[in-house]
Each structure stands twice: as structure tokens, then as C-alpha cells.
């Protein structure tokens, strides 16, 4: 957040002596000044959501720049950038001080986001609208660090297949540019990760960024019960990374970390092998860290996630495939209501129908 704002203020500060009020910001209907004010407004709003722990709506406040409607002398462009920098600092502080498990209201698509999601939204606002302003002013060079664009894409644009460069991909994904071989984007929304609560757990959909970290031995941003993620979790994360790279990542139909409510520690992972097929079938898999087994977590999560899947349009069957010798896993699917329907060599196939 701080890097994005610093980059924005540096780029726009170089042209603060120009007329921002009389020039449209790129393809937007707003002027460059209005767009800069919008950046500040969104950053402070996101900070307010996190700090206020908003649950059902936006915190009902807004900021007003001097000279807008209060009779004071108008803030000049440098003053507007000062407000942007201040709002960015407040959002950065809110992100740092908000516990990992906290989620606050945001309307799309799941009506909530965590601190990382709000940070990504804030960075997106800064990058994209700085681009709009520099495009409107004409001849102003601006290209943010690739890491910032990648941060946004791998947190809140999981459905967008990576392109030749993160910044060009983000511009294309938001209708601001073209990519070879891809149709122009005319409508878009970003997407935070989904969550599904159960009695003792929170099932948190992983982002492409979290999947990439887990796949190479990291913790994915979660605190794990000892001894940490089991092999199946890392394999599942690798599958999710491949789906993302191929443009087949569906936020709701990917892997979920199973996070214990009592201490915010991940005990395992569960997820789908992909989106439902044309017959309405979807396969589910799971595992638990060794230190969390024998407590019913897998059964609780499987009931919740498979039940959620069967409530989605067009889904008729959830499939689980279990190794014959894995008796504990066979017991889990049985307790979750699955029925043994067939065998495939050493593997048993179970189904739960809607």
C-alpha cells in the first residue's frame, strides 16, 4: 500500500502544476482532480471498514476536500496528493493492525473481505486511477512496479489468466488496454476469496498467491497446527496454481484452508478438483495436519462444503475418491453422508447426491 501510494504521489507530483480540474482522466467521466479525490476517498473508506469492523454495510462517512462545499480555499493539486498520501497511510495502518481472521463488509462478490483483500483493493485503486490521470494529462510516463500489479492480480483477480506482464494484464482486465489473443474487456469486477463458516471452523478459499506459496513449501499466510500443512495440501495448492496459470481458477471451486475458530490456526485443507462438469458432478478432496486428526474436523468441513456445493445451480453430485487402505478417510465420507458406489482399482468412489 505504501509503495503504491509513494509511486502515485511521485508520478502525479511531477505534474501538479497542470490543470487537473479541466481535463478528463483517461476513459473516465471524472476530471483528473475528481479522480485523485476518489483515490483518497476509497482508501479512507477501506481503512474505515477494517478499523470499524463493518459487518453489513459501509461505515457512513466520507471525506471532503477543502473548497468543495465548505467555503474554504480550494485545495491545490499538491494538497490533493497530500490527502492521498495520508489516506494511504491510514489504510496501511489499518491493514497492519487488523487481525488476520477479521473480515469487513464489501459488497462484491461475497459481501466481505479480509485485510489482504482490502489492501489489494486499495493498491488497485491507486494504480489504475493514477494511470487514468496520467493518460488524461497526456505524455506523463507511468508504469508501477510489476510486483504491485501482480499483488493485485493474485489476490482479487483470481479468474484472470496471467498475461505477458502483470501491469499490462491488469490494464486489460479492467478495460484499459489490450492483450494479444484476448477479447477486450467491457465489464469487470474484482473478487475477494470466499469463506464458509461451520461450528468450529472457518473454511477460507485460498487465493492464487496463497496457493503458490503453499505449493513451494510456505505457509500460505496461515498459522498451522504442528507439524504444518500435510502433503495433500501442498499437492492441492499446486493444482490450484496450475488452474490459475491456465485461466481455469474459480474462486468458489478451489481449495479451502480449514481454520480453527478458537485460535485462528489452520488444521488442514479441503477443496474441489475444478468447477462442476456438464453433468453437474464435482470432485472433492481433503486432508488434515497430523496434529489435528481424530477430532471430527474433516467430517464437519466435508458436510459443510459438500452441502454448499449441492445448493449451487446445476450441481447434482459431489464425488470423493478414497484409497482403500485409508480407513479413517473412508469413515469421514461415510459420516458426511456419502455412499460407496464403485471401485477403481485400489480406490473407492463415493457420491453424495442433491
Amino acid at each position: 500500500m505504501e509503495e503504491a501510494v509513494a509511486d502515485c504521489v511521485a508520478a502525479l507530483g511531477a505534474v501538479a502544476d497542470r490543470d487537473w480540474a479541466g481535463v478528463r482522466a483517461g476513459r473516465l467521466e471524472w476530471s483528473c482532480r475528481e479522480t485523485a479525490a476518489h483515490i483518497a476517498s476509497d482508501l479512507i473508506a477501506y481503512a474505515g471498514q477494517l478499523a470499524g469492523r463493518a459487518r453489513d454495510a459501509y461505515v457512513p462517512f466520507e471525506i471532503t476536500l477543502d473548497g468543495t462545499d465548505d467555503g474554504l480555499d480550494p485545495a491545490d493539486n499538491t494538497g490533493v496528493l497530500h490527502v492521498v498520501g495520508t489516506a494511504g497511510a491510514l489504510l496501511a495502518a489499518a491493514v497492519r493492525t487488523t487481525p488476520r481472521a477479521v473480515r469487513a463488509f464489501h459488497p462484491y462478490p461475497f459481501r466481505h473481505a479480509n485485510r489482504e483483500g482490502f489492501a489489494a483493493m486499495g493498491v488497485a485503486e491507486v494504480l489504475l486511477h493514477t494511470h487514468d490521470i496520467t493518460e488524461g494529462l497526456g505524455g506523463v510516463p507511468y508504469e508501477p512496479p510489476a510486483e504491485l500489479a501482480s499483488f493485485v492480480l493474485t489476490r482479487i483477480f483470481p479468474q484472470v489468466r496471467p498475461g505477458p506482464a502483470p501491469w499490462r494484464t491488469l490494464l486489460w482486465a479492467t478495460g484499459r488496454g489490450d492483450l494479444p489473443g484476448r477479447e477486450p474487456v467491457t465489464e469487470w469486477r474484482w473478487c475477494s476469496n470466499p469463506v464458509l463458516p461451520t461450528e468450529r471452523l472457518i473454511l477460507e478459499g485460498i487465493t492464487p498467491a496463497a496457493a503458490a506459496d503453499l505449493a513451494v513449501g510456505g505457509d500460505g499466510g496461515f498459522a498451522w497446527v504442528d507439524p504444518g500443512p500435510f502433503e495433500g495440501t501442498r499437492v492441492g495448492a499446486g493444482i490450484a496454481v496450475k488452474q490459475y496459470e491456465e485461466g481455469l481458477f474459480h474462486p468458489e471451486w478451489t481449495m479451502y484452508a480449514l481454520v480453527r475458530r478458537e485460535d485462528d490456526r489452520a488444521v488442514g485443507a479441503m477443496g474441489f478438483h475444478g468447477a462442476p462438469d456438464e453433468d453437474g458432478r464435482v470432485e472433492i478432496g481433503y486432508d488434515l495436519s497430523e496434529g489435528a486428526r481424530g477430532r471430527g474436523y474433516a467430517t464437519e468441513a466435508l458436510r459443510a462444503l459438500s452441502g454448499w456445493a449441492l445448493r449451487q445451480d446445476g450441481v447434482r453430485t459431489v464425488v470423493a475418491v478414497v484409497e482403500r487402505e485409508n480407513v479413517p478417510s473412508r469413515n469421514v465420507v461415510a459420516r458426511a453422508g456419502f455412499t460407496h458406489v464403485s471401485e477403481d482399482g485400489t480406490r473407492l468412489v463415493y457420491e453424495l447426491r442433491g
Side-chain angles (χ1 to χ4, degrees):
M1 189 69 256
E2 291 165 336
E3 183 180 1
V5 169
D7 199 55
C8 160
V9 171
L12 298 182
V15 290
D17 58 342
R18 296 198 192 180
D19 176 18
W20 290 10
V23 179
R24 280 179 54 178
R27 308 179 190 191
L28 304 181
E29 295 297 326
W30 298 327
S31 71
C32 291
R33 179 183 170 88
E34 289 172 327
T35 303
H38 173 79
I39 296 174
S41 179
D42 275 351
L43 297 183
I44 196 67
Y46 295 158
Q49 293 302 95
L50 286 174
R53 306 291 194 263
R55 293 190 176 186
D56 302 311
Y58 284 117
V59 178
F61 76 100
E62 61 181 3
I63 61 171
T64 301
L65 301 182
D66 282 352
T68 301
D69 58 10
D70 51 14
L72 299 177
D73 292 335
D76 60 13
N77 295 336
T78 300
V80 175
L81 290 179
H82 191 186
V83 177
V84 170
T86 301
L90 290 171
L91 177 54
V95 169
R96 283 197 181 96
T97 56
T98 298
R100 194 210 68 82
V102 168
R103 301 185 78 86
F105 174 82
H106 187 273
Y108 185 84
F110 305 117
R111 298 184 65 79
H112 48 68
N114 60 11
R115 64 187 183 187
E116 190 172 59
F118 277 106
M121 287 186 269
V123 173
E125 297 283 356
V126 172
L127 301 189
L128 295 170
H129 289 318
T130 302
H131 164 79
D132 296 331
I133 294 170
T134 57
E135 185 178 61
L137 294 173
V140 180
Y142 174 70
E143 181 169 341
E147 294 79 9
L148 291 177
S150 181
F151 176 83
V152 172
L153 288 167
T154 56
R155 271 76 176 181
I156 57 173
F157 285 91
Q159 72 280 15
V160 173
R161 176 167 55 90
W167 177 230
R168 289 182 59 196
T169 304
L170 182 58
L171 290 176
W172 170 81
T174 57
R176 290 171 168 84
D178 299 318
L179 279 183
R182 302 197 194 185
E183 293 295 321
V185 172
T186 57
E187 294 183 1
W188 60 273
R189 290 182 183 270
W190 52 49
C191 181
S192 57
N193 61 322
V195 298
L196 182 65
T198 70
E199 181 181 357
R200 296 179 296 167
L201 303 171
I202 299 291
L203 279 60
E204 297 189 23
I206 64 166
T207 63
D213 187 53
L214 283 167
V216 297
D219 59 18
F222 300 94
W224 292 80
V225 299
D226 293 333
F230 200 60
E231 179 184 1
T233 295
R234 300 203 185 279
V235 171
I239 293 172
V241 171
K242 188 172 187 294
Q243 291 171 339
Y244 174 64
E245 292 172 344
E246 296 175 350
L248 301 175
F249 189 101
H250 300 277
E252 295 149 290
W253 300 103
T254 185
M255 189 172 83
Y256 292 74
L258 312 182
V259 182
R260 202 158 52 192
R261 285 176 179 265
E262 66 183 33
D263 58 4
D264 194 39
R265 298 179 73 85
V267 300
M270 180 174 294
F272 304 103
H273 292 196
D277 64 20
E278 58 185 13
D279 295 322
R281 294 169 60 88
V282 63
E283 185 174 343
I284 198 168
Y286 53 89
D287 71 0
L288 290 180
S289 295
E290 292 179 355
R293 296 176 183 174
R295 304 178 188 181
Y297 291 135
T299 301
E300 181 176 330
L302 184 58
R303 286 172 177 161
L305 196 55
S306 59
W308 172 86
L310 290 172
R311 291 192 296 272
Q312 307 312 300
D313 290 342
V315 178
R316 300 182 180 86
T317 309
V318 180
V319 179
V321 180
V322 183
E323 296 292 333
R324 183 185 298 276
E325 66 271 17
N326 192 345
V327 176
S329 188
R330 289 167 55 187
N331 291 337
V332 167
V333 295
R335 286 194 296 268
F338 284 68
T339 300
H340 175 214
V341 295
S342 65
E343 300 183 12
D344 178 12
T346 61
R347 303 190 307 169
L348 306 181
V349 180
Y350 294 80
E351 291 184 351
L352 181 66
R353 295 179 177 271

